[in-house]
Amino acid sequence: MPSFNPPLRTLMGPGPSDVHPRVLAAMGRPTLGHLDPMFVAMMDELKDLMRSAFRTKNRLTIPVSGPGSVGMETCFVNLVEPGDTVIVCQNGAFGGRMKENVERCGATAVMVMDDWGKRIDVNKVEEALKANPGAKALAFVHAETSTGVRADAEALCKLANEHGALTIVDAVTSLGGIPVEVDAWGIDAVYSGSQKCLSCTPGLSPVSFSARAEEVVRGRNTKVQSWFMDLNLVMAYWDSADGAPRAYHHTAPINSLYGLHESLVMLDEEGIEAAWARHAKNHQALRAGLEAMGLSLLVDEADRLPQLNAVVIPDGVDEALVRKTLLANYGLEIGAGLGALAGKVWRIGLMGTSSSANHVTLCLAALETTLVGMGAPITAGASAEAARAVLFN
Ligand SMILES: *Cc1c(COP(=O)(O)O)cnc(C)c1O
């Protein structure tokens, strides 16, 4: 059996995004023991880098060993106990997973539903909070990767705080791409993912819990149902605030953590505000190019995520054939629609390293030539210049 040699792709789907060579190089460095003092020192730097990305002073800020879904589950299993009520917003695929998590914790999910592609209606959330005065938490997805919609996280957290509910926020696709202000917005539990706007390899989930949420975890009536995700146990490895030596819980994914460290160092070098501005600009360039072709975005302008663009598929176009052709001819991956949007949109990601002028320009040219080759009804010849005018004016 020969070694596996993957081809070099350009990843512009809903994640993973392109991993920077610096991150891949960091992951190839020598493996240390998970209690080696040099490794423990790196863990402390990593927590500080994560705090700065989340804009928080939260002590309990760690990368969970597992993809974003494990970060999600960590937040729910630690905060939600049997018999609790949690208000869950759903306007796409990932809100539905939050509901699953709440119910698997033995709690009741009160759903606030909005259409796929539309924003979470803050008024409906307020009504749900009023109608369920004892609700333990409000849970919502900040950047709905299945639709490209941004939630008004600040307003939703303010409402929850006014009603005495904790907030559980999915920032898997938002962290690094748009502002996530954990302390300023009063977020109690937040989880992200390594492979979206942080452009690290998949498999790690940065999470952060407020002091209030930490108290809830410590004061539970029942044991956390998951031994692996029980933060009371995990923290004995990740935190030695009281000076106690780190205790083994599970073997940390050492080399993956080198990668996350490097990607956060790169974010810090760029400056997080500059990263947000870069994501915004590349989104505007892509939008301009798509519109010059006669294509349109699904989501209302005010609610669009710069890092995930849901593009309406023109009538009569075989959307799967377009994606297949982009991959075969250009090594370019874009995403298909999910759930209610399957067959209706493509999802073009401009996340992390994949948010660049090169990515925008390649994607527009590849999409344009592919659609022209299929005889699709689009305007040719204008998209590259439309993008250039945004990128280099
Ligand atoms: C990708 C994603 C997840 C799940 O992350 P995995 O790393 O695939 O487990 C959760 N929520 C949102 C909004 C996502 O985009």
Side-chain angles (χ1 to χ4, degrees), residues 14-15 66-72 94-95 97 141-146 170-174 191-196 202-205 347 351:
S69 306
V70 183
M72 177 188 281
F94 292 101
R97 290 193 178 179
V141 179
H142 185 204
E144 206 7 298
T145 323
S146 62
D170 179 320
V172 173
T173 287
S174 47
Y191 57 92
S192 189
S194 47
Q195 79 278 27
K196 311 239 173 156
L204 289 172
S205 177
R347 289 181 299 153
M351 301 183 186

Side-chain angles (χ1 to χ4, degrees), residues 17 20 31 59 61 72 75 115 133 140 147 160 172 188 198 205 225 298 322 352 381 383 391:
S17 55
H20 195 278
T31 303
R59 187 180 81 99
T61 303
M72 177 188 281
C75 290
D115 288 343
F140 66 89
T147 63
V172 173
D188 289 297
L198 300 180
S205 177
Q225 73 192 44
L298 173 85
V322 170
S383 70
L391 291 167

Side-chain angles (χ1 to χ4, degrees), residues 3 26 55 67 71 74 109 131 206 252 268 270 295 301 309 349 371:
S3 304
R55 317 265 276 190
T74 296
D268 192 55
E270 178 179 16
L295 299 176
E301 193 165 352
N309 298 270
L371 289 171

Side-chain angles (χ1 to χ4, degrees), residues 326-385:
L326 291 175
L327 193 64
N329 291 356
Y330 302 95
L332 172 64
E333 179 181 281
I334 65 168
L338 262 188
L341 296 177
K344 301 202 171 108
V345 297
W346 292 300
R347 289 181 299 153
I348 300 181
L350 292 169
M351 301 183 186
T353 300
S354 292
S355 178
S356 78
N358 284 6
H359 284 81
V360 169
T361 308
L362 167 72
C363 180
L364 289 170
L367 191 60
E368 180 176 312
T369 50
T370 299
L371 289 171
V372 167
M374 290 177 178
I378 61 150
T379 306
S383 70
E385 168 52 20

Side-chain angles (χ1 to χ4, degrees), residues 152-306:
D152 187 346
E154 185 172 11
L156 291 169
C157 290
K158 186 163 178 280
L159 267 181
N161 287 330
E162 283 165 9
H163 286 82
L166 296 167
T167 46
I168 301 177
V169 179
D170 179 320
V172 173
T173 287
S174 47
L175 189 67
I178 53 173
V180 179
E181 299 280 1
V182 170
D183 286 357
W185 296 346
I187 297 176
D188 289 297
V190 61
Y191 57 92
S192 189
S194 47
Q195 79 278 27
K196 311 239 173 156
C197 293
L198 300 180
S199 270
C200 183
T201 52
L204 289 172
S205 177
V207 303
S208 186
F209 278 52
S210 69
R212 184 162 72 139
E214 218 185 309
E215 258 172 54
V216 171
V217 179
R218 291 191 202 285
R220 288 173 60 105
N221 297 318
T222 55
K223 271 191 180 177
V224 174
Q225 73 192 44
S226 159
W227 175 86
F228 181 71
M229 285 176 256
D230 185 342
L231 288 173
N232 293 304
L233 306 175
V234 175
M235 285 306 278
Y237 176 57
W238 271 96
D239 202 317
S240 60
D242 53 4
R246 312 279 173 119
Y248 164 68
H249 176 258
H250 65 276
T251 309
I254 311 287
N255 292 58
S256 295
L257 291 169
Y258 300 165
L260 183 62
H261 183 277
E262 188 70 9
S263 69
L264 290 171
V265 165
M266 288 179 64
L267 183 63
D268 192 55
E269 284 171 3
E270 178 179 16
I272 197 159
E273 285 99 350
W276 298 336
R278 172 170 55 84
H279 281 85
K281 186 173 206 175
N282 289 319
H283 158 73
Q284 288 304 339
L286 182 75
R287 177 198 57 77
L290 292 169
E291 286 175 0
M293 265 188 250
L295 299 176
S296 60
L297 295 176
L298 173 85
V299 176
D300 294 340
E301 193 165 352
D303 304 325
R304 280 177 199 160
L305 290 171

